[in-house]
Amino acid sequence: MHHEKILFHGFDLDEIIFNSELDTKAVINPQSTLFVLNCLNYKKLECKSILVDKYRGIVRTNKETKKLINQFVNNQAVSFLGTRMMAQSKEGLPYVYGRKVIVPMSGATQHSTDWLLVNNTIGVAFTEYKRNMTMIFKEFLGAPLKMDLMVNKIVVKRQLRIAGNIMLKQCEVVDEVNVEFQDIKQSDVYNICRQYSDQESECSSLKNELDWGVHYIIESVLKHVLGDDVSGGLVAEIAKDIKRKSREII
C-alpha cells in the first residue's frame, strides 16, 4: 500500500502521528477500531502497524497486522468458523459475523496488509479513473473522518463482495434458526428437556464441543484408513495441525 498517499481529511496526519501513543499490547477492538494499517514499508511511523481508533486516535504498535488479525480471529474462533470456509473457497479473506465485518485491502496473503472494519464505516466509494478508495467514518476523535487510500479496486471490491455474500447467507441461516427457536424458552418442550438436563453440571462451551467434534471425525477417518490401532497422540497432533491451519491467515 502507498501510505504516503493516505489523506485524513480535516486532520493533519503529521500532528496525529506526533500525538499518537505506542501500545505494545494493542488489539483490534471491533467497537472502536476503524482501520488497521501495515506500516512495515512506511518508516516515518517507526512501528509495524497502526490502529486508527475512533476514541484513541492513532495507536502505534510493533505487532504486525498479521498478528493483530490472528489474535482477533482466535478470540472469536467459533464466530468466524463458517466465514473462513466460505471465504477461502472464493479466494478471499474477509471475516464476517453479524455486525463484525473486517475486510483486507489485498487478496489472500501470508503477509501483512491493511484491514478495514466495515462495521465502523458509514460509506465506501471508489473513484472512477484513479485507484483511490474513500472511506467515511462517523466518528474519529469526536468528529467525522473521510480517509483516502490507494488500492487495487478490483481486489478490494472482490473482498467486499465476498463479505456481502457471506453476510446475506448468515442472515438466511439466522432467519431459519429463528423459526425453530423463537420463544422456545416459553414452550413445554423446553421445560421438559430442561427438567431432565444436567443443570447442576458445568456446561462445556460451544468451542469445546466443536473441538470435540473435530477430534471425533479425525479419529474415525484415521481408524477407517489405518485400522483401530490409532494412538490418541496421533489424533491430537493432526487435530492441532488442522485447527492451526484453519485459524491462521492464509
Side-chain angles (χ1 to χ4, degrees):
M1 291 298 168
H2 303 279
H3 289 159
E4 293 82 355
K5 301 297 183 181
I6 294 175
L7 297 176
F8 287 77
H9 296 267
F11 295 88
D12 183 271
L13 181 56
D14 289 334
E15 183 178 347
I16 292 175
I17 294 171
F18 179 77
N19 293 318
S20 66
E21 61 176 300
L22 178 65
D23 186 352
T24 58
K25 297 182 180 180
V27 295
I28 294 172
N29 184 333
Q31 280 72 50
S32 63
T33 303
L34 307 178
F35 202 89
V36 182
L37 292 108
N38 168 36
C39 301
L40 294 178
N41 298 320
Y42 192 34
K43 306 302 181 183
K44 185 177 183 179
L45 289 174
E46 298 181 347
C47 61
K48 294 181 179 179
S49 308
I50 64 173
L51 294 91
V52 182
D53 188 277
K54 66 180 179 181
Y55 300 126
R56 301 173 66 185
I58 297 293
V59 179
R60 294 178 290 119
T61 178
N62 284 323
K63 295 180 183 179
E64 293 187 23
T65 60
K66 179 177 179 178
K67 182 173 183 178
L68 290 168
I69 293 296
N70 279 333
Q71 289 178 330
F72 176 69
V73 172
N74 286 339
N75 288 337
Q76 304 173 81
V78 174
S79 302
F80 291 127
L81 185 64
T83 289
R84 184 156 190 82
M85 293 184 289
M86 294 172 69
Q88 282 186 245
S89 65
K90 302 183 183 301
E91 299 183 358
L93 202 61
Y95 289 96
V96 182
Y97 184 71
R99 291 180 172 84
K100 298 174 184 175
V101 182
I102 185 166
V103 176
M105 299 292 99
S106 63
T109 175
Q110 293 183 350
H111 306 290
S112 289
T113 188
D114 303 325
W115 294 78
L116 169 67
L117 275 82
V118 182
N119 46 288
N120 289 325
T121 309
I122 60 174
V124 175
F126 298 87
T127 55
E128 184 176 356
Y129 301 108
K130 297 180 180 179
R131 298 179 62 195
N132 282 9
M133 173 184 180
T134 299
M135 295 149 287
I136 303 174
F137 304 99
K138 184 177 182 179
E139 182 180 358
F140 175 69
L141 299 177
L145 171 66
K146 185 168 74 170
M147 177 177 165
D148 284 344
L149 186 69
M150 291 183 67
V151 299
N152 184 325
K153 290 193 290 186
I154 294 176
V155 171
V156 176
K157 284 183 176 180
R158 183 176 72 239
Q159 298 286 3
L160 289 169
R161 183 175 66 252
I162 294 171
N165 290 339
I166 292 174
M167 173 167 282
L168 292 180
K169 181 58 66 177
Q170 287 182 347
C171 288
E172 288 179 11
V173 172
V174 169
D175 288 342
E176 293 176 5
V177 170
N178 282 338
V179 171
E180 296 296 330
F181 286 88
Q182 187 174 16
D183 300 326
I184 192 171
K185 290 188 176 181
Q186 284 73 50
S187 67
D188 292 332
V189 65
Y190 177 84
N191 290 327
I192 293 172
C193 290
R194 185 174 183 274
Q195 178 184 349
Y196 291 98
S197 65
D198 296 324
Q199 298 180 47
E200 302 302 322
S201 64
E202 182 178 348
C203 296
S204 62
S205 66
L206 178 57
K207 178 182 179 298
N208 289 337
E209 295 289 346
L210 289 172
D211 287 344
W212 179 88
V214 170
H215 187 279
Y216 175 78
I217 292 171
I218 293 171
E219 183 179 41
S220 298
V221 171
L222 287 176
K223 286 184 176 181
H224 179 74
V225 175
L226 303 176
D228 291 336
D229 189 21
V230 174
S231 70
L234 177 61
V235 176
E237 182 180 348
I238 294 177
K240 182 179 180 180
D241 189 53
I242 289 175
K243 285 187 287 184
R244 177 182 61 80
K245 291 181 178 178
S246 68
R247 291 174 184 173
E248 289 181 352
I249 294 178
I250 303 172

